[in-house]
Amino acid sequence: MKQLLFLFFFIISFGLQVAHAEFLNLGAAEIIMLLVVGFFALTFVIGFVFLCLYLIRRVKSAKNEK
């Protein structure tokens, strides 16, 4: 299921980037750069959210042990 969700997200993001690049008359290299930068930005945001959730759970468990 995770793979299908990732594939769906990739197809949607690739389609949006291609449409955006075609609108601005960009080449293939710019499309690839947009995809890579977008992927890294998204992974950074998701990683930050998971880090916050992990730290919140860790603080809650530390309070329960006291």
Side-chain angles (χ1 to χ4, degrees):
M1 186 65 185
K2 264 191 213 179
Q3 291 87 3
L4 290 176
L5 187 62
F6 182 74
L7 179 65
F8 178 70
F9 175 75
F10 179 76
I11 290 171
I12 295 295
S13 65
F14 184 72
L16 287 173
Q17 297 298 337
V18 169
H20 179 72
E22 188 174 330
F23 178 72
L24 296 174
N25 292 326
L26 298 176
E30 286 83 2
I31 294 173
I32 293 171
M33 286 187 339
L34 282 173
L35 282 173
V36 170
V37 169
F39 178 72
F40 280 126
L42 185 68
T43 54
F44 178 77
V45 170
I46 290 173
F48 183 74
V49 168
F50 278 119
L51 176 65
C52 290
L53 291 173
Y54 170 74
L55 292 174
I56 290 170
R57 288 181 190 155
R58 189 171 167 194
V59 168
K60 284 183 180 180
S61 65
K63 285 182 181 178
N64 289 338
E65 289 178 1
K66 289 183 179 181

